[in-house]
Amino acid sequence: MELDAKKTAVIFKAFCDENRIKILQLLRGGEQCACMLLQEMNITQPTLSHHMKILCDSGIVKCRKEGKWMHYSLSEAGIECAQKYLASLKNSREDNYNE
């Protein structure tokens, strides 16, 4: 599997912050409203928005608007893409060892 470097960097940027990891852990339980995420996190609304933009841009998280609230959930397709990329690194390494 070949991903371009820019897309790969965007995907893995999502995992490079403690707050974003905490958000991903919260989303493992299912869809969450931004207001619920704010209650669980010790961050401001603008900071949450910044992190959610990075997570959504990566494809790891998807969002939908309902009224004035944003609802976030994990994207199976985005997670699968990250997993496939990691697997391709492992497979390439194993291929090199087998030669």
Side-chain angles (χ1 to χ4, degrees):
M1 175 185 182
E2 258 332 286
L3 284 181
D4 67 63
K6 188 171 186 168
K7 176 65 177 167
T8 303
V10 170
I11 290 170
F12 287 98
K13 180 179 181 181
F15 297 104
C16 293
D17 182 89
E18 184 179 337
N19 285 317
R20 289 193 288 273
I21 297 299
K22 288 178 185 176
I23 291 166
L24 291 171
Q25 290 171 337
L26 289 169
L27 293 177
R28 286 188 309 181
E31 184 179 77
Q32 296 281 326
C33 176
C35 60
M36 297 305 286
L37 292 172
L38 279 172
Q39 286 180 7
E40 295 292 327
M41 306 286 296
N42 191 25
I43 57 176
T44 65
Q45 190 279 325
T47 300
L48 177 66
S49 292
H50 167 75
H51 289 306
M52 297 316 296
K53 179 174 180 1
I54 291 169
L55 288 166
C56 290
D57 286 351
S58 75
I60 301 297
V61 171
K62 57 186 177 181
C63 67
R64 67 177 183 85
K65 189 170 183 164
E66 187 175 299
K68 64 179 183 171
W69 299 108
M70 293 299 289
H71 296 264
Y72 299 97
S73 59
L74 294 175
S75 165
E76 287 193 36
I79 292 168
E80 216 172 271
C81 184
Q83 288 173 326
K84 284 180 181 176
Y85 181 73
L86 286 173
S88 75
L89 290 176
K90 181 181 175 192
N91 292 340
S92 294
R93 207 170 120 225
E94 288 173 354
D95 290 344
N96 289 336
Y97 286 133
N98 293 331
E99 291 178 354

